Amino acid sequence: MAPIVVLRGDGIGPEVVEEGLKVLKAAARRYGIALEFTEALLGGVAIDATGDPLPEETLRRCREADAILLGAVGGPKWDTLPGDRRPERGLLRLRQGLELYANLRPVRVFPPLLDVSPLKRDVIDGADFMIFRELTGGLYYGTPRGIEQRGEEETGIDTLIYTTSEIARIARLAFQAASRRRKKLTSVDKANVLMSSQLWRRVVVRVAQDFPGVTLEHILVDNCAMQIIRNPRQFDVIVTENMFGDILSDEAAVIAGSIGLLPSASLGARGGLYEPVHGTAPDIAGTGQANPIGTILSVALLMRYSLKQE
Ligand code: IPM
Ligand code: MG
């Protein structure tokens, strides 16, 4: 097997990755799994070293890898760079370059941590769901995008665009996951306003025909944002577009108690990228306070999905 590419990134990234690697190596030793690692640069550290948040060399090595472990990217030092040269753009180009179109974010309450959440114990006890966030389409990548002068005004433009095949492939993965779980899929959209959401809903309904054992429901994103903290136990698998998934998954972290607890796996045609849901937390970087559980759980997902070591 190809080496696992380690991208420590910025801020607390290197610290949490270090802890994740300890667990990964210990588990590998215990179960006799041979692993090799190689380090590469992504984000602010890559900008400092090469001027590019995603150096060619990093993309090449990630393309050859079966699995990539990532900390987090970004920080105040690079915040004044123009949009397309920021550390975050490196991450977005990596997701796109590897066609990692499905971002899985499992949300679960750990019984010993029930009182860590600001939400009431009886609301969150037993909550256990999985968010499937579309990761390589929508507002993050749509064109035209930019800031341009239109008459008197500067105008900022982003494009929310989805094709049938982009929707169908993430829907299919979400249905498959639901059929292995409690057999309920909630598709989140804004079909009362957005055309892309109307297509989203239509395609999800079409894909549902191949999964008669799964109950499909549709929910508008604003209502979903409320339901996630009002009654999170109602959810099994959630599937949604890129931006809605970004926002809802931060919100869902409140159920687990802290954003430091949530892992993620980004999957596509082959390989996988594993990273905690949180950011670089520059305010606590280097102080040893960062919670590495999100990364450690990401390592567990890496074992499961890329190494097939349940
Ligand atoms: C996430 C992050 C990223 C995103 C940022 C860092 C670009 O918030 O993975 O949720 O918006 O996708
Ligand atoms: Mg986010």
Side-chain angles (χ1 to χ4, degrees):
M1 126 153 218
I4 294 170
V5 176
V6 178
L7 307 168
R8 293 174 189 258
D10 310 313
I12 61 169
E15 309 164 32
V16 293
V17 164
E18 190 57 36
E19 302 307 310
L21 282 175
K22 282 184 197 163
V23 175
L24 181 56
K25 287 174 184 169
R29 244 191 335 268
R30 168 84 172 261
Y31 291 95
I33 303 161
L35 297 179
E36 253 187 85
F37 300 91
T38 173
E39 306 253 347
L41 297 174
L42 179 76
V45 280
I47 296 175
D48 289 351
T50 72
D52 185 348
L54 175 62
E56 192 51 46
E57 168 71 7
T58 298
L59 181 59
R60 192 184 59 72
R61 275 203 254 166
C62 289
R63 279 216 169 98
E64 290 164 1
D66 297 316
I68 304 158
L69 179 64
L70 167 65
V73 297
K77 182 173 174 194
W78 307 280
D79 269 350
T80 51
L81 290 173
D84 288 345
R85 294 193 19 232
R86 292 174 59 107
E88 291 84 353
R89 208 69 216 170
L91 175 57
L92 299 188
R93 277 167 49 206
L94 181 63
R95 289 169 175 171
Q96 187 179 43
L98 302 176
E99 258 197 273
L100 300 169
Y101 62 83
N103 183 229
L104 282 59
R105 299 187 161 181
V107 179
R108 207 149 52 87
V109 177
F110 302 97
L113 299 181
L114 265 171
D115 293 316
V116 173
S117 174
L119 299 174
K120 291 194 186 87
R121 184 183 254 271
D122 56 309
V123 171
I124 57 171
D125 196 4
D128 175 0
F129 58 96
M130 182 105 121
I131 299 177
F132 274 73
R133 168 189 176 194
E134 201 290 325
L135 202 60
T136 50
L139 277 170
Y140 279 58
Y141 297 96
T143 51
R145 57 179 257 122
I147 300 175
E148 62 186 49
Q149 197 72 30
R150 289 194 178 171
E152 301 278 272
E153 298 254 59
E154 276 193 298
T155 308
I157 304 153
D158 295 281
T159 300
L160 176 42
I161 181 166
Y162 270 105
T163 62
T164 310
S165 55
E166 284 177 311
I167 302 166
R169 63 185 182 179
I170 178 91
R172 196 161 286 284
L173 284 188
F175 271 110
Q176 281 164 1
S179 49
R180 286 190 299 265
R181 293 173 48 105
R182 300 194 304 278
K183 309 199 184 332
K184 179 176 172 193
L185 179 64
T186 305
S187 173
V188 180
D189 62 39
K190 186 72 184 173
N192 55 346
V193 177
L194 300 175
M195 298 313 293
S196 57
S197 281
Q198 287 180 20
L199 180 66
W200 181 278
R201 204 175 267 216
R202 206 187 292 165
V203 174
V204 171
V205 167
R206 220 178 284 155
V207 174
Q209 291 172 357
D210 295 339
F211 298 89
V214 177
T215 305
L216 170 66
E217 69 170 22
H218 306 278
I219 185 171
L220 297 173
V221 63
D222 46 354
N223 185 21
C224 183
M226 177 179 69
Q227 297 297 339
I228 277 181
I229 48 174
R230 199 187 72 87
N231 175 18
R233 273 189 302 268
Q234 70 185 286
F235 296 111
D236 179 16
V237 177
I238 291 175
V239 64
T240 192
E241 65 92 41
N242 202 345
M243 177 76 130
F244 296 162
D246 178 45
I247 298 170
L248 293 178
S249 57
D250 268 35
E251 189 197 12
V254 172
I255 295 166
S258 152
I259 194 153
L261 295 168
L262 289 203
S264 88
S266 302
L267 306 174
R270 66 170 293 275
L273 169 70
Y274 302 85
E275 55 174 319
V277 169
H278 63 70
T280 53
D283 53 328
I284 59 165
T287 66
Q289 292 176 73
N291 187 337
I293 298 289
T295 308
I296 292 170
L297 293 174
S298 299
V299 158
L301 295 177
L302 184 156
M303 277 277 191
R304 176 172 306 149
Y305 294 118
S306 282
L307 308 184
K308 311 284 180 233
Q309 297 283 354
E310 190 65 34

